[in-house]
Amino acid sequence: MMNKVTIDNVTKRFNRRMKRKDKDEFLEYVKTFAAENSYPVVIEKNTLAQNAVVGSVRNAKYIFTAHYDTPPAMPAFLVKNQIFFLFIQFIYIVFLFVIPFFFPLFIRDNAILRISLRILVLIIGFIPFIYIMGFMGKGNKNNYNDNSSGVIMLLEMMEALKDAENRNDYCFVFFDNEEKGLFGSKFFQAFHRKKLDGKNIINLDCVGIGDNLNVYGNNPLVFQAIRESAQKVEGFDLPINSLKMKITKASDHYTLRRYKALMLCLETKKKKRFIMENIHTSKDTVLELDKMEKIKEILLGLC
């Protein structure tokens, strides 16, 4: 069974993980959790991210990852459709650079004032974009699916494997700043570039609610291992779909695609397309724990 204390800690006690102070408190929790389960843990830092690496990247056969950072709250209509959300961002950026060059046309004789107004419009215009990316604003307090679900899964697996004879075959990585541009996984790849060849990397993002178990990326051997493990899990009856890597699903596995990393997520099928339920909104308050338990069993079946 899923550990209620772990779930409450991640979803309630450390529910906002957008600002550095909140992230640092969560990383201290990860360090404590790892120590209680006799795992070595290192906090790897650069100017853009702080990742928690539990176990040995060099020795691991499987590397399980999940981003721990969380986004600001946004209107549900804006993020309901991921393609629409990306399109709106693209259009906004285009207009952001075009409008300042037309806005101060009425000022013809004062070049300094005209340039100053253009710069001011750019600065003001960038504020909503910076908010969407999570560089400012108040963090969303509800992040159950995105991505407390993935974080919980890593912690659950750490606890389940703590006494395994082959526990050194598994490494667990908590990525920072996925929401801001996959900075944590980019730093991880750069830092461990030579150690990642031949590793099986599975990224867990939004595994909290949905009616399909979707696997994004191209690694037929690992996908087949997931399917075979699922067949052994009693009561697991969700479709398992192998899907191509898409820019609209650009989680941390996208950064690690050269190593054939996969992303595993739960999604709901609506009108012939898959969506991640409730992400980036105040409605992100649901975890289907029975399904998460089954996914944990599938992953442990790989171990």
Side-chain angles (χ1 to χ4, degrees), residues 249-272:
K249 309 288 182 181
S251 184
D252 291 305
H253 67 296
Y254 189 81
T255 301
L256 303 167
R257 61 192 180 278
R258 63 173 291 186
Y259 304 102
K260 295 187 176 181
L262 298 177
M263 178 177 76
L264 191 151
C265 63
L266 281 177
E267 293 187 288
T268 301
K269 193 168 188 179
K270 294 183 178 179
K271 296 181 180 179
K272 297 183 179 181

Side-chain angles (χ1 to χ4, degrees), residues 39-160:
Y39 285 98
V41 58
V42 176
I43 307 299
E44 298 176 346
K45 303 179 182 180
N46 74 355
T47 54
L48 294 174
Q50 296 189 26
N51 301 327
V53 178
V54 180
S56 170
V57 174
R58 183 182 299 277
N59 296 330
K61 295 179 180 178
Y62 272 91
I63 300 176
F64 298 100
T65 72
H67 76 87
Y68 70 87
D69 64 306
T70 59
M74 285 183 275
F77 79 91
L78 189 61
V79 293
K80 187 174 183 179
N81 184 314
Q82 289 163 311
I83 296 176
F84 174 72
F85 182 46
L86 289 173
F87 177 74
I88 290 297
Q89 290 184 70
F90 174 76
I91 294 298
Y92 183 80
I93 292 172
V94 170
F95 274 94
L96 189 59
F97 283 98
V98 170
I99 288 176
F101 290 95
F102 293 95
F103 172 69
L105 287 179
F106 58 89
I107 302 175
R108 299 182 181 276
D109 300 326
N110 192 325
I112 295 177
L113 180 58
R114 188 166 62 249
I115 293 171
S116 298
L117 282 173
R118 286 173 175 172
I119 294 173
L120 181 62
V121 169
L122 273 173
I123 292 173
I124 294 174
F126 259 108
I127 290 176
F129 184 74
I130 292 172
Y131 177 86
I132 288 173
M133 296 297 291
F135 287 100
M136 62 177 292
K138 186 176 182 180
N140 186 18
K141 68 177 181 179
N142 298 323
N143 304 285
Y144 282 52
N145 191 28
D146 185 20
N147 187 31
S148 291
S149 60
V151 169
I152 291 167
M153 196 66 68
L154 291 192
L155 296 172
E156 287 276 336
M157 291 183 67
M158 287 167 56
E159 189 172 32

Side-chain angles (χ1 to χ4, degrees), residues 206-266:
C206 298
V207 292
I209 176 173
D211 54 22
N212 283 259
L213 180 58
N214 288 342
V215 183
Y216 287 91
N218 180 29
N219 193 326
L221 291 178
V222 176
F223 176 73
Q224 183 59 30
I226 291 171
R227 287 187 65 91
E228 291 175 359
S229 180
Q231 291 171 1
K232 300 174 184 177
V233 175
E234 184 178 354
F236 183 80
D237 57 359
L238 297 182
I240 303 178
N241 306 300
S242 177
L243 302 169
K244 293 182 180 179
M245 195 173 293
K246 301 177 181 179
I247 190 65
T248 55
K249 309 288 182 181
S251 184
D252 291 305
H253 67 296
Y254 189 81
T255 301
L256 303 167
R257 61 192 180 278
R258 63 173 291 186
Y259 304 102
K260 295 187 176 181
L262 298 177
M263 178 177 76
L264 191 151
C265 63
L266 281 177

